[in-house]
Amino acid sequence: MKKLDSHQHMTTPVIAARSVGTRVLRSEDPRLLSGRGEFIADINLPGQLHVAFVRSPVAHARIIHMDLSAIRDADGVALAWSGQDVAPLCEGLVGEMAVEGCFPTTMPLLAKDEVLYVGEPIAVVVADSRYAAEDACELIDWDFEELPAVTNADAALAGGPVANPQLSDNLGLKGGASFGNVSEAFEQADQVVQGRFYTCRVSAAPMETRGVIADYEWASKGLRLWSNTQMPHYLKYMLTAYLGFPEQGVEVITPDTGGGFGQKAHVYPEEMLLPLLAREVGRPVKWIEDRRENLIAGAHAHEQFVDIAYALDADGKITGVRTDALGDGGAYHMPPWSMAVEPWCAVVMTPTGIYDIPAAEYTYSAVATNKTPVGAYRGVGYMAGTLARECLADDAARALGMSPFEFRRHNVVRDFPWTNAQDIVYQEGSWLETINVLEKMVDYPAFLQRQSELREQGRYIGLGLSVFVESSGESTATSQEHGLGDVYHDTATVRLNPNGTANVTIGLSAQGQGLATTMAQMAADTLGINVEHVSVQTARSTSHAYGSGTIGSRGAVVAGGAVARAADVVREKVRLVAANMLEASVDDIQLTDGLASVKGVADASVSIADVATSIYFDTSSWPEDFEPSLEATQAYDPAQAMFSNGGHAILVELDPETGFVRFEKVYSVEDCGTVINPNIVEGQIRGGVLQGIGASVFEELAYDESGQILTTTFLDYGLPTMDVAPPFEIHHLETPSSHSASGVKGMGESGLIAAPAAVLNAVNDALTPFNVVLRDLPLTPQRVLKAMSGELSTAQQEATSTQGETGHA
Amino acid sequence: MKPPKFSYVAPTTLDDALKHLASDPDAKVLSGGQSLMPLLAMRLAAPSILVDLQHVPNLSDIEDRGDHIRIGARVTHREIERSALLADRLPILSAAASHIAHPQIRSRGTFGGSTAHADPSGEWPTILLALSATMQAVGPHGNRTIEADDFFVGPFTSTLRDDEILTHVSIPTTRTAWSFQEAAVKKGDYGLALIAATGTPRGGVLVDPRVTVGAAVGSVTRLVAVERILTDEPLTDELAEEAAVAAAESVKPISDIHGSSDYRRKLVASLVRRAVVELKNGA
Ligand SMILES: Cc1cc2nc3c(=O)[nH]c(=O)nc-3n(C[C@H](O)[C@H](O)[C@H](O)COP(=O)(O)OP(=O)(O)OC[C@H]3O[C@@H](n4cnc5c(N)ncnc54)[C@H](O)[C@@H]3O)c2cc1C
């Protein structure tokens, strides 16, 4: 895999950390916490109409007849469209992943011939109010012939009934690769441990549902589209590419957004339909997704099976790993991430994890089923991959009679840079240290003592460990490192004002990550000014800056790099003028703490504010040929893939009478290089781990065999709440990246990536006296109680096999 | 999730409320709205007219009447949770109130609404059956009282007639031995199983014990087999075990995505055991 040479020039300045690394309070909070945020539902345009969708109540059917005349005649209705009406304007959204063995699908904006999942939009209604629109939706007259619903991934893979006629063998993705001598490793293994893990279907369930407002101005052909998307620039591109709106006239506006987590990093049929409707009715149109729609029709996540096997030598070293991932992808590829991304990432991104495994082999497939399309959710694929790898590590430790810490320490990579079997290069990391620190934090001997004492009393506690490495700062280089061709970059604009304050604009929309705070810290330190003097505008509109999306733990790294680079251009201007004012050499000018000072000369300084004022208003301060713009826009895309790492240890207790899992404590170690702001990093850890706890114990989007979704409200879909959130103890390690601005690495996804493995390991640790090992999520009370009542045979749960008998699926 | 069209009235007398209710077969009483409004929003119910009780007088008191306490239909879950009188005289209500949903919902949802709604997962129906409460209703033909045993007859079904309004619930205060057990996955969730057990302690045994189960069953029901075991017997751990076995054998649990009937049977047994042990320790 070639590295992109052209990226080497994107250097970032070396700066003195002042606000970087400190617990600067979030500048967003006074506004958001006092109810002054403006979310999409708060926005009302004069003359706006409201949109509601008719969604399929059946999983798979052929549409025989559809008549919208009763809808059109209903009170207050301005327009109603079926799939037939919209198809001439847009055939649908093509979804695929640019890897070999991915078979694309085209998802219609409204189902035309066949409906493929419950919740698929089949008609859209525009009316005076949402009430009138929903009333009218009930008047739909349609006939359909039910077709067999494919609801099981294994069955879909085996052939049989077809879920989506565009994929005749149900395959949306199939492929694999092998590195090193895997067969030999397994043939010569002293023992093989293996298991099949299941990560259930969940929803990212952001607190704010999706929403779109479209306003079309026929005279200029201008389109303004409000969407709480994580990828405004990509959405703008799609609006021009698919619908033909003139690029120069399209503005995508992203108001305050209440969480995205990847669900809002897709482009949805609803976002494509609203502009067409606005153009047709000549008035602004608004759609705010309700919770039921969000649970049914917002991208689903996670559902896949991962088969994994380790070959172990007599010393307990892993000599080879085989992984196979099978994703239950739902009916279509959801652009741009597709049903492929979940299983593909699970096996390709980190099959070796933190372990020094010389040989690795993986296969992956994604199958279409008659369920809602699966897309990206915080740490897509990494969660399942980490679950399989880390839980199998515990199986191996049990088989070897080693402690989970010991087994990991025995196999962990110790020397960097390290190139894994796949040829992925890890420049640096604190992988061993993570294990050691976690072991200390939990006081393992004391835990073991307490565990055995409690067992005597009929109480069952368990400690689960999960250690991860995560590619972060999603970039062109990261993409290439993993064999993809995606190209990313972001820009930022920095302007220094006459009084020495700064305004910064970035190309990323924010969903609650605190980007306005961390980017202010990066800009402040680069410019040498106080962080309170910087104001950051995240991408509220595509008219400023450019960005590839708030995804893939990339915000801090990529926006941070762009901000530092843009601020550096301005900084150089300030240094030039300061040198002139102080009659010193520019090389000796340093900018810190609001002052431009001469290195090594006490008292030789001028305030940066005075320099800025002079640049604006006093030409005599200028050196010769000085160009006075104090505004710069720069791009950034890291030159190399970078990986953050860390681990969690989670302490649980199982109730032997109810099967409930109670969370006692979470211990987290995070190494995301230089920490810009510990508060924000810790918030990301807490939120991510809580989502991981949800995905492993409380949440599941359930379907029945006919493809009917059963969890359509929060009554049935169990999000974790504050009440189940345990206390956290968080430890920061800092192994800076050698090439990002200030050595920052991304970490937004790590909590969700690694927590479920720790939860499952903790539950299995607590279950040790019952001689069972669970591998399916979620760990419902019913499953746990069954395990505790000895109803699951050990044979059925057997993880180890003797030499040669690999039994790999 | 917007309700279909409906009319709305907020009468200021009980008589007017009854008139409105009788004016249309699809009229419905609105109390706290915490069950009814979600049903409307999901279009699972489409009443023609909602008769809001919020301005009807005399429905919001908790009154000590000596051997019983009378609670108005409009008293909120939150008021019950915070009532000093109930904490003293009917502490099972104070204890159970905090299990109902979350504070926001408890501040709006009402005792009468929950009782009339007859949700098999509701704390109040389960507890009122165990406390042998009496419902007071008024309709076009006058007042009547309905014993809890005759009130909850099916899932979301009571013997209250469509044109009647539940005004008060009277609860005897003699059942001073009590235990309330709920197995809910998270705080505020509806329980997977509820058990309420009450009785009058006399000379180390329970007189007339009542044990009811909610949530795990299609309709709140008494566990008569368990009651029989507890009657006039000294409460011991062995008796608790016997009661648990009887509960498991006699209960007819439902099965859904939150738990199979087999699982719920085990839960019911565990909760009954816990309840009897608690009665033993408290008695
Ligand atoms: C998120 C959420 C969680 C919840 N969790 C729980 C829980 O854990 N446990 C629990 O028990 N409940 C729970 N509830 C329901 C809540 O307790 C409701 O308040 C209660 O069930 C109904 O009371 P209400 O006053 O809101 O009645 P409403 O919703 O106004 O009415 C409910 C029904 O009763 C009828 N009705 C109301 N008052 C009268 C009356 N005086 N006479 C005749 N008919 C009447 C109405 O016509 C309607 O059919 C929850 C609700 C929500 C929204």
Side-chain angles (χ1 to χ4, degrees):
Chain A
M1 272 161 253
K2 284 238 170 63
K3 307 287 178 301
L4 252 199
D5 296 333
S6 64
H7 282 201
Q8 303 297 343
H9 75 277
M10 290 199 186
T11 52
T12 52
V14 176
I15 58 174
R18 284 298 187 272
S19 72
V20 166
T22 66
R23 294 181 181 269
V24 173
L25 294 181
R26 288 175 23 127
S27 59
E28 296 92 335
D29 283 348
R31 201 169 54 78
L32 294 175
L33 298 184
S34 63
R36 284 163 175 76
E38 190 185 55
F39 296 85
I40 193 156
D42 299 324
I43 295 167
N44 291 300
L45 302 184
Q48 76 190 5
L49 296 173
H50 297 264
V51 173
F53 290 90
V54 183
R55 297 182 181 276
S56 174
V58 287
H60 195 189
R62 185 171 298 115
I63 301 175
I64 294 170
H65 147 95
M66 188 178 293
D67 179 0
L68 304 186
S69 53
I71 294 183
R72 292 183 177 122
D73 290 346
D75 275 355
V77 170
L79 183 74
W81 274 352
S82 67
Q84 299 288 353
D85 298 318
V86 77
L89 302 172
C90 176
E91 223 183 288
L93 298 169
V94 177
E96 67 178 317
M97 188 177 178
V99 291
E100 213 186 291
C102 183
F103 310 98
T105 59
T106 301
M107 172 163 52
L109 303 190
L110 296 170
K112 186 163 64 92
D113 306 312
E114 269 186 34
V115 293
L116 301 188
Y117 64 96
V118 170
E120 182 172 9
I122 58 174
V124 62
V125 179
V126 184
D128 289 346
S129 69
R130 178 66 177 254
Y131 294 87
E134 290 192 21
D135 286 346
C137 284
E138 302 212 313
L139 303 174
I140 190 164
D141 173 12
W142 72 306
D143 285 332
F144 54 85
E145 176 198 336
E146 276 204 63
L147 299 169
V150 182
T151 58
N152 174 294
D154 284 316
L157 189 65
V162 173
N164 178 337
Q166 300 172 33
L167 301 171
S168 59
D169 53 4
N170 291 325
L171 272 182
L173 171 79
K174 191 167 183 61
S178 189
F179 307 89
N181 200 335
V182 180
S183 336
E184 193 183 276
F186 277 85
E187 272 155 28
Q188 295 177 359
D190 184 63
Q191 65 179 305
V192 170
V193 288
Q194 61 192 334
R196 186 180 218 217
F197 295 86
Y198 174 65
T199 55
C200 61
R201 185 171 274 255
V202 298
S203 169
M207 190 182 291
E208 181 204 28
T209 57
R210 296 179 291 146
V212 191
I213 302 171
D215 187 18
Y216 180 73
E217 223 288 302
W218 65 267
S220 64
K221 296 196 171 68
L223 172 70
R224 287 189 302 161
L225 188 90
W226 284 256
S227 170
N228 48 20
T229 178
Q230 293 169 242
M231 306 179 67
H233 290 271
Y234 179 70
L235 177 56
K236 173 175 168 168
Y237 170 77
M238 295 289 275
L239 292 168
T240 57
Y242 275 93
L243 307 179
F245 287 100
E247 189 176 41
Q248 74 281 12
V250 174
E251 183 185 4
V252 173
I253 300 164
T254 43
D256 284 324
T257 296
F261 310 113
Q263 191 186 68
K264 290 176 184 159
H266 300 90
V267 170
Y268 288 96
E270 292 92 346
E271 284 168 315
M272 295 281 122
L273 269 164
L274 270 273
L276 297 174
L277 296 169
R279 186 172 67 189
E280 189 71 14
V281 296
R283 286 167 69 175
V285 293
K286 177 175 182 176
W287 169 70
I288 302 297
E289 182 178 50
D290 63 39
R291 182 57 65 185
R292 186 167 50 176
E293 286 182 293
N294 183 262
L295 285 169
I296 300 176
H300 286 182
H302 282 179
E303 187 171 11
Q304 65 169 312
F305 297 88
V306 181
D307 272 285
I308 183 165
Y310 286 154
L312 299 171
D313 70 13
D315 281 348
K317 288 252 199 268
I318 314 171
T319 53
V321 55
R322 274 184 175 142
T323 348
D324 174 70
L326 168 62
D328 181 328
Y332 292 102
H333 286 296
M334 180 75 88
W337 304 113
S338 82
M339 68 172 79
V341 69
E342 181 65 37
W344 186 89
C345 279
V347 297
V348 176
M349 296 307 262
T350 57
T352 50
I354 60 159
Y355 308 115
D356 185 358
I357 309 177
E361 184 173 281
Y362 53 72
T363 47
Y364 46 76
S365 40
V367 289
T369 51
N370 294 112
K371 303 188 208 169
T372 303
V374 162
Y377 175 24
R378 200 174 192 174
V380 58
Y382 276 85
M383 190 283 258
T386 304
L387 181 88
R389 203 184 58 237
E390 287 302 298
C391 294
L392 196 69
D394 271 27
D395 284 332
R398 270 188 290 269
L400 293 162
M402 294 168 99
S403 96
F405 296 97
E406 218 180 313
F407 176 76
R408 285 172 173 82
R409 213 164 12 236
H410 192 55
N411 279 283
V412 71
V413 170
R414 289 162 187 256
D415 300 318
F416 293 95
W418 179 64
T419 306
N420 82 350
Q422 280 166 285
D423 233 11
I424 295 175
V425 182
Y426 299 80
Q427 295 291 348
E428 69 280 303
S430 53
W431 302 359
L432 172 62
E433 203 181 346
T434 298
I435 301 169
N436 292 338
V437 170
L438 274 172
E439 190 174 23
K440 259 224 179 86
M441 284 168 85
V442 303
D443 192 351
Y444 197 53
F447 163 77
L448 289 175
Q449 168 94 24
R450 183 172 159 235
Q451 185 181 43
S452 77
E453 281 166 15
L454 288 176
R455 272 183 197 156
E456 310 264 291
Q457 303 166 26
R459 287 180 57 189
Y460 300 93
I461 61 169
L463 182 73
L465 184 60
S466 164
V467 184
F468 68 90
V469 51
E470 180 208 355
S471 87
S472 76
E474 189 63 25
S475 62
T476 310
T478 314
S479 176
Q480 292 210 339
E481 191 79 36
H482 296 94
L484 297 176
D486 299 339
V487 176
Y488 298 85
H489 80 262
D490 280 58
T491 70
T493 301
V494 172
R495 188 205 304 147
L496 191 66
N497 301 308
N499 282 336
T501 65
N503 287 90
V504 175
T505 317
I506 61 171
L508 293 177
S509 58
Q511 295 78 40
Q513 301 89 338
L515 279 170
T517 305
T518 48
M519 292 305 107
Q521 292 176 262
M522 294 295 285
D525 286 7
T526 313
L527 293 169
I529 63 177
N530 193 316
V531 68
E532 277 93 53
H533 294 157
V534 182
S535 172
V536 176
Q537 186 77 276
T538 55
R540 297 184 76 86
S541 158
T542 45
S543 357
H544 318 289
Y546 173 79
S548 304
T550 313
I551 53 155
S553 299
R554 66 193 297 276
V557 175
V558 181
V563 167
R565 282 167 54 78
D568 190 40
V569 172
V570 174
R571 175 166 102 140
E572 289 312 311
K573 294 269 178 74
V574 173
R575 288 176 73 210
L576 271 178
V577 174
N580 203 36
M581 290 167 80
L582 294 168
E583 295 175 358
S585 156
V586 68
D587 296 336
D588 292 336
I589 301 291
Q590 51 193 17
L591 306 185
T592 43
D593 304 322
L595 292 179
S597 52
V598 183
K599 221 180 286 171
V601 185
D603 299 341
S605 70
V606 54
S607 79
I608 292 170
D610 283 346
V611 180
T613 310
S614 303
I615 291 172
Y616 279 94
F617 305 121
D618 176 10
T619 51
S620 73
S621 67
W622 296 5
E624 224 162 288
D625 294 332
F626 183 68
E627 199 283 317
S629 63
L630 282 183
E631 177 169 325
T633 298
Q634 289 283 301
Y636 185 62
D637 186 24
Q640 292 168 9
M642 70 181 78
F643 298 86
S644 45
N645 68 270
H648 306 285
I650 296 184
L651 187 52
V652 303
E653 177 165 3
L654 309 182
D655 182 332
E657 290 190 333
T658 60
F660 292 161
V661 182
R662 300 286 182 214
F663 291 85
E664 188 177 308
K665 182 134 188 192
V666 176
Y667 303 87
S668 297
V669 170
E670 174 75 44
D671 188 343
C672 54
T674 303
V675 175
I676 302 176
N677 186 329
N679 284 353
I680 285 180
V681 168
E682 289 164 15
Q684 292 288 319
I685 292 172
R686 288 195 175 90
V689 167
L690 245 286
Q691 284 179 317
I693 284 176
S696 32
V697 171
F698 299 111
E699 299 176 42
E700 178 170 32
L701 289 166
Y703 280 83
D704 70 12
E705 279 174 12
S706 73
Q708 197 57 242
I709 180 166
L710 305 173
T711 43
T712 62
T713 70
F714 283 153
L715 186 65
D716 290 320
Y717 186 76
L719 277 184
T721 56
M722 285 302 288
D723 292 310
V724 300
F728 279 69
E729 193 177 315
I730 298 171
H731 185 91
H732 299 279
L733 295 174
E734 291 189 80
T735 311
S737 160
S738 53
H739 60 280
S740 69
S742 296
V744 168
K745 300 181 195 173
M747 56 72 58
E749 297 165 297
S750 66
L752 179 50
I753 285 173
V759 174
L760 183 56
N761 279 337
V763 168
N764 282 331
D765 183 44
L767 287 174
T768 313
F770 303 94
N771 224 353
V772 281
V773 176
L774 299 178
R775 299 210 172 81
D776 291 350
L777 302 183
L779 298 157
T780 58
Q782 182 172 324
R783 269 191 193 136
V784 172
L785 192 66
K786 208 169 188 179
M788 297 182 92
S789 62
E791 282 173 44
L792 298 177
S793 77
T794 3
Q796 185 189 332
Q797 297 294 326
E798 197 55 81
T800 55
S801 64
T802 47
Q803 193 213 328
E805 189 191 314
T806 63
H808 181 68
Chain B
M1 286 173 73
K2 301 287 185 212
K5 270 190 190 147
F6 59 85
S7 315
Y8 169 89
V9 287
T12 53
T13 67
L14 197 54
D15 280 350
D16 277 354
L18 286 169
K19 261 181 227 140
H20 285 295
L21 200 52
S23 70
D24 191 317
D26 290 330
K28 260 213 165 291
V29 172
L30 174 67
S31 189
Q34 298 304 293
S35 291
L36 188 53
M37 293 319 292
L39 289 173
L40 261 68
M42 290 191 282
R43 296 185 178 236
L44 296 170
S48 53
I49 173 168
L50 292 187
V51 184
D52 190 339
L53 297 184
Q54 66 170 315
H55 299 308
V56 174
N58 305 325
L59 299 181
S60 305
D61 299 319
I62 303 174
E63 289 167 76
D64 189 347
R65 302 206 157 185
D67 63 348
H68 70 276
I69 284 181
R70 201 179 79 149
I71 303 179
R74 285 278 311 152
V75 171
T76 64
H77 309 317
R78 191 76 173 138
E79 284 160 354
I80 290 176
E81 189 181 5
R82 298 178 143 196
S83 159
L85 175 63
L86 292 177
D88 185 33
R89 304 289 306 284
L90 279 173
I92 186 172
L93 294 191
S94 326
S98 65
H99 288 269
I100 302 175
H102 307 278
Q104 296 91 325
I105 291 151
R106 295 206 285 275
S107 301
R108 288 208 147 247
T110 65
F111 194 64
S114 182
T115 305
H117 195 50
D119 184 339
S121 305
E123 279 78 0
W124 297 143
T126 309
I127 286 171
L128 293 182
L129 190 59
L131 287 173
S132 196
T134 306
M135 322 302 162
Q136 284 159 260
V138 52
H141 311 294
N143 297 325
R144 67 179 180 124
T145 57
I146 313 161
E147 296 305 317
D149 280 322
D150 305 321
F151 189 82
F152 303 107
V153 290
F156 301 97
T157 312
S158 76
T159 48
L160 202 63
R161 287 192 287 263
D162 287 347
D163 56 4
E164 283 181 324
I165 292 174
L166 177 71
T167 57
H168 299 91
V169 178
S170 291
I171 306 172
T173 48
T174 45
R175 301 182 156 270
T176 53
W178 62 275
S179 175
F180 176 71
Q181 302 291 333
E182 172 160 350
V185 176
K186 292 176 274 127
K187 198 162 168 22
D189 281 5
Y190 279 101
L192 294 170
L194 313 176
I195 293 291
T198 71
T200 309
R202 196 175 299 154
V205 299
L206 284 189
V207 178
D208 190 20
R210 285 172 77 100
V211 180
T212 59
V213 56
V217 287
S219 174
V220 289
T221 13
R222 287 171 64 182
L223 291 170
V224 182
V226 176
E227 293 174 356
R228 226 177 279 132
I229 287 170
L230 300 186
T231 304
D232 296 334
E233 281 294 322
L235 302 172
T236 60
D237 289 343
E238 293 70 40
L239 196 73
E241 194 50 51
E242 214 182 303
V245 171
E249 280 170 2
S250 61
V251 71
K252 293 191 181 60
I254 54 159
S255 193
D256 64 17
I257 52 168
H258 302 296
S260 66
S261 62
D262 202 37
Y263 170 68
R264 289 175 196 264
R265 187 184 304 282
K266 288 185 186 133
L267 273 189
V268 166
S270 296
L271 297 190
V272 165
R273 186 185 306 110
R274 284 182 191 180
V276 177
V277 169
E278 198 172 271
L279 286 173
K280 179 194 91 174
N281 296 338

